[in-house]
Amino acid sequence: MVALIAKKRDGGEHTRAEIEQLVMGYVRGDVPDYQMAAWLMAAYLNGLTDTETLALTEVMAASGEQVDLSAIDAPTLDKHSTGGVGDKTSLVLVPLLAAGGIAIAKMSGRGLGFTGGTVDKLESIPGYRTELTAQEMIAQVRRIGCCLAGQSASLAPADKLLYALRDATATVESIPLIAASIMSKKLAGGARHILLDVKVGAGAFMTTHERAQQLAQTLVRIGTGAGRRTHAVLTDMSQPLGYTVGNAIEVREAIETLRPDGHAHPRFRELILHLAGQAFAMCGVEPSHDAGRARANTLLQSGAALEKFRQMVEAQGGEPRVVDEPSLLPHAPLVAELPAPTTGYVAEVHPRAVAHACLVMGAGRQKKEDTIDHAVGVEVLKSVGDSVQAGEPLLRVHARTETQLQQAQAILETAVRIVPEPVAPVPVILEA
Ligand code: URA
């Protein structure tokens, strides 16, 4: 182990056998934390070559259960978002793609820090089971085309161990380590096609375009190197996505976006259509992105995507009536609006401020053990570029207690910046 640490410290390139020795030695408990931590720091500082990154990813993917989707006839796809504020994309995209003939066995995470987790959002649906075994997932996908569940603990256990160590040793922010971590779980998930939504901006993990681009390229090289058809899209996270940030209120917005007559946020709908167009094209369901987009639009307009969402909720033990009666979802007792202090144009809606307000109200976790209040959250009524009149509501806070409401209002006071001159709206798709 000392020789391997020295090799990376001195800028050498590991063989696949060496990476296997490192990672599996750590998983078995033969390699102690301090040696793995030293290696991680050497890898953080000196980087990993593409060959090393692919080997690391594949070794991590093979460290636990690997889902076998070969019994599924339809093209299989997995999607991943690097996370952001108000990112409820999977809730809409998964049933939409399944309604259009793509099989999607999606495993999602819980939220930690400023980004919410899809699993937490889903658990606001009464009865919805997020813990499915691989066999249950496969059976459900064969029956209705999709599932949306939590990540199985047996998937890529090496990543779980390494991530905890990176978190405690300031080695998280390394592009090859992040990319290997993300892709190990995608490879173990078994889908032949991988669609990646790499978020950029103040509300994302990658705050600059350049870093997001590097991450996207690394992710695609790994996926392609592992024999999966992989595509990455760079999308904007400089403001919250859609109208809502929270848990139940995001599920409500997802349902609204799926409804043929629903009030969808234009930027969120654009993201969904873009990703769906890409998915249908890359899976060969449609000949081009434009044709894929048109297919997605038809599935939304016909109600087929909404119907698939209802089937998925029912299949996972959730209350399917939430689709028609969103009042069955948890809702907070106190609702208050924040008015615009002046007339002008919205120049900024700060995603981290909105996320922070949600966090203090209990919509997210400050520590892993914290429980979530599914009912609380913030509605974002204006986007960058919108005009506003003084006194018009900008944000709507859903709180459980007066104290929470006041705390959230104090945080949100400076979240929306208004300027006198017109501001150009920010496109949601930055690189297709
Ligand atoms: N998300 C992951 O899954 N892994 C990382 O290392 C960072 C973000």
Side-chain angles (χ1 to χ4, degrees):
M1 189 60 199
V2 175
L4 294 183
I5 299 169
K7 187 172 189 181
K8 193 35 72 187
R9 179 200 63 197
D10 299 338
E13 185 180 33
H14 290 300
T15 63
R16 180 174 287 246
E18 287 171 347
I19 290 188
E20 194 157 345
Q21 196 183 333
L22 274 163
V23 173
M24 294 318 291
Y26 186 59
V27 171
R28 283 192 301 268
D30 299 342
V31 172
D33 279 350
Y34 57 85
Q35 288 188 319
M36 198 65 211
W39 182 83
L40 283 171
M41 186 55 84
Y44 178 95
L45 294 172
N46 289 328
L48 296 175
T49 63
D50 281 351
T51 312
E52 288 176 312
T53 309
L54 177 58
L56 176 63
T57 312
E58 291 185 326
V59 168
M60 291 202 303
S63 68
E65 182 176 24
Q66 291 182 276
V67 184
D68 179 4
L69 300 179
S70 59
I72 293 167
D73 292 335
T76 53
L77 177 133
D78 201 351
K79 64 86 56 177
H80 180 81
S81 156
T82 57
V85 178
D87 188 359
K88 69 230 25 116
T89 307
S90 292
L91 300 179
V92 178
L93 197 62
V94 167
L96 170 59
L97 297 183
I102 292 177
I104 176 159
K106 170 95 179 91
M107 285 183 260
S108 291
R110 292 190 184 278
L112 189 64
F114 64 90
T115 64
T118 302
V119 165
D120 298 318
K121 295 168 197 178
L122 285 166
E123 285 178 351
S124 62
I125 301 173
Y128 194 99
R129 278 179 63 218
T130 56
E131 279 182 32
L132 301 185
T133 63
Q135 286 69 28
E136 284 176 314
M137 287 188 17
I138 294 168
Q140 184 175 317
V141 173
R142 289 187 75 174
R143 193 158 58 81
I144 65 164
C146 62
C147 74
L148 196 42
Q151 193 175 299
S152 144
S154 50
L155 202 86
D159 174 58
K160 205 166 197 176
L161 291 170
L162 285 174
Y163 192 85
L165 191 59
R166 285 165 59 208
D167 204 24
T169 55
T171 51
V172 169
E173 292 87 357
S174 146
I175 286 183
L177 294 180
I178 295 171
S181 165
I182 293 173
M183 292 303 286
S184 65
K185 291 166 282 195
K186 297 293 111 182
L187 297 187
R192 303 309 307 165
H193 306 82
I194 302 171
L195 180 58
L196 302 153
D197 178 2
V198 178
K199 302 275 184 210
V200 193
F205 208 53
M206 295 288 142
T207 51
T208 68
H209 196 98
E210 197 191 357
R211 294 257 308 158
Q213 213 168 32
Q214 281 173 13
L215 176 61
Q217 287 163 357
T218 309
L219 293 166
V220 171
R221 281 199 297 268
I222 296 172
T224 310
R228 311 294 173 93
R229 196 149 181 205
T230 310
H231 183 83
V233 178
L234 251 58
T235 72
D236 178 64
M237 192 31 85
S238 62
Q239 58 185 316
L241 184 61
Y243 287 120
T244 58
V245 183
N247 293 286
I249 61 170
E250 288 198 38
V251 172
R252 208 166 300 178
E253 180 177 6
I255 294 169
E256 195 64 27
T257 308
L258 284 162
R259 296 188 77 81
D261 58 348
H263 178 53
H265 192 293
R267 296 179 93 243
F268 182 46
R269 190 179 156 85
E270 173 56 26
L271 176 67
I272 294 291
L273 290 177
H274 185 85
L275 292 174
Q278 196 62 49
F280 287 130
M282 72 193 277
C283 287
V285 173
E286 290 288 353
S288 66
H289 180 263
D290 283 351
R293 234 184 119 95
R295 185 183 189 90
N297 200 30
T298 306
L299 292 163
L300 288 167
Q301 290 311 312
S302 68
L306 181 70
E307 189 46 38
K308 189 56 73 181
F309 178 83
R310 189 197 315 268
Q311 278 177 19
M312 181 178 78
V313 169
E314 193 159 28
Q316 291 188 227
E319 172 52 84
R321 287 183 305 149
V322 297
V323 171
D324 309 302
E325 293 173 53
S327 62
L328 294 171
L329 290 165
H331 43 270
L334 302 175
V335 180
E337 289 177 345
L338 268 79
T342 54
T343 293
Y345 297 87
V346 176
E348 190 176 30
V349 183
H350 209 284
R352 294 218 188 197
V354 176
H356 186 207
C358 289
L359 195 63
V360 300
M361 293 192 292
R365 288 184 190 79
Q366 318 213 31
K367 304 187 296 300
K368 271 201 198 92
E369 310 68 50
D370 288 351
T371 51
I372 296 262
D373 185 341
H374 290 105
V376 298
V378 174
E379 279 180 80
V380 180
L381 306 171
K382 296 285 176 188
S383 299
V384 170
D386 287 353
S387 65
V388 288
Q389 298 295 315
E392 212 185 330
L394 297 174
L395 299 162
R396 191 175 290 133
V397 183
H398 297 247
R400 169 105 21 221
T401 65
E402 277 296 342
T403 313
Q404 280 180 357
L405 190 60
Q406 281 161 16
Q407 281 176 326
Q409 280 173 321
I411 294 165
L412 292 170
E413 214 142 76
T414 53
V416 183
R417 194 160 57 84
I418 298 172
V419 296
E421 59 287 343
V423 176
V426 187
V428 69
I429 309 299
L430 301 176
E431 275 185 42

